[in-house]
């Protein structure tokens, strides 16, 4: 791509907060809905914090002052959109549907007690998280490279984090 942003890369110390909603979705059948919504709040706060952090880092890159504001804005927007899709919306939906489907299938194909079916569903959801991360990340990269990032002006490459 002509304007390559590395702003979407997650910091390793904050990364687990981005997975909170997937864990919430895995436990959806066992916890109050408020707990699931709280997990989305944690993930969303991570997305916002990461976007702000990447904007600050983009602003620290030495370059002509004329391109600084654009570079900061692009870093914040790109990071926010990327993280919203790759860390919250798509994985949350994926785990939600996987768990709902597995609970339904277990209910129709087994005579297991509801508690066992729920724990099995939760376990499947938790085990799926590391499996879905890489394909979702790559898909969101492709989506943004094919759409939003084509609109970015060429203001120089920000340094990767």
């Amino acid at each position: 791509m002509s304007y390559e942003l590395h702003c979407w890369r997650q910091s390793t110390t904050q990364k687990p907060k981005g997975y909170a909603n997937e864990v919430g979705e895995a436990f959806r059948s066992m916890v109050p809905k408020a707990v699931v919504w709280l997990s989305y709040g944690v993930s969303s706060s991570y997305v916002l914090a990461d976007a702000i952090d990447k904007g600050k880092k983009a602003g620290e890159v030495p370059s002509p002052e004329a391109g600084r504001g654009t570079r900061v804005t692009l870093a914040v927007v790109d990071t926010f959109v990327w993280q919203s899709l790759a860390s919250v919306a798509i994985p949350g939906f994926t785990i939600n549907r996987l768990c709902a489907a597995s609970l339904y299938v277990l209910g129709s194909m087994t005579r297991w007690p509801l508690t066992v079916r729920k724990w099995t569903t939760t376990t499947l959801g938790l085990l799926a998280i590391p499996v879905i991360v890489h394909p979702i990340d790559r898909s969101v990269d492709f989506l943004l490279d094919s759409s939003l990032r084509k609109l970015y002006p060429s203001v120089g490459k920000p340094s990767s984090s």
Side-chain angles (χ1 to χ4, degrees), residues 6-19 42-43 45-55 57 79 82-83 87 133 137 159-161:
H6 297 285
C7 298
W8 53 266
R9 293 198 174 148
Q10 300 170 339
S11 70
T12 54
T13 58
Q14 299 298 315
K15 199 171 187 174
K17 292 177 185 170
Y19 299 131
V42 171
S43 290
S45 66
Y46 163 74
V47 168
L48 185 58
D50 194 43
I52 292 167
D53 177 64
K54 296 307 182 286
K57 288 179 179 176
T79 302
W82 193 93
Q83 290 285 15
S87 296
V133 169
D137 288 357
S159 64
S160 60
S161 46

Side-chain angles (χ1 to χ4, degrees), residues 25-37:
E25 286 295 350
F27 279 94
R28 181 180 282 274
S29 67
M30 300 177 63
V31 299
K33 287 182 184 178
V35 173
V36 178
W37 287 111

Side-chain angles (χ1 to χ4, degrees), residues 72-141:
V72 169
T73 300
L74 290 177
V76 170
V77 168
D78 190 80
T79 302
F80 185 81
V81 171
W82 193 93
Q83 290 285 15
S84 294
L85 292 170
S87 296
V88 181
I90 297 171
F93 177 80
T94 303
I95 297 299
N96 176 286
R97 295 296 80 207
L98 173 72
C99 290
S102 66
L103 191 60
Y104 174 79
V105 169
L106 289 172
S108 62
M109 297 184 73
T110 70
R111 294 185 187 268
W112 295 352
L114 181 58
T115 304
V116 173
R117 293 193 314 259
K118 285 182 176 184
W119 273 109
T120 302
T121 294
T122 298
T123 302
L124 288 171
L126 292 172
L127 291 173
I129 294 170
V131 175
I132 67 170
V133 169
H134 187 70
I136 290 173
D137 288 357
R138 299 295 68 84
S139 297
V140 173
D141 280 335

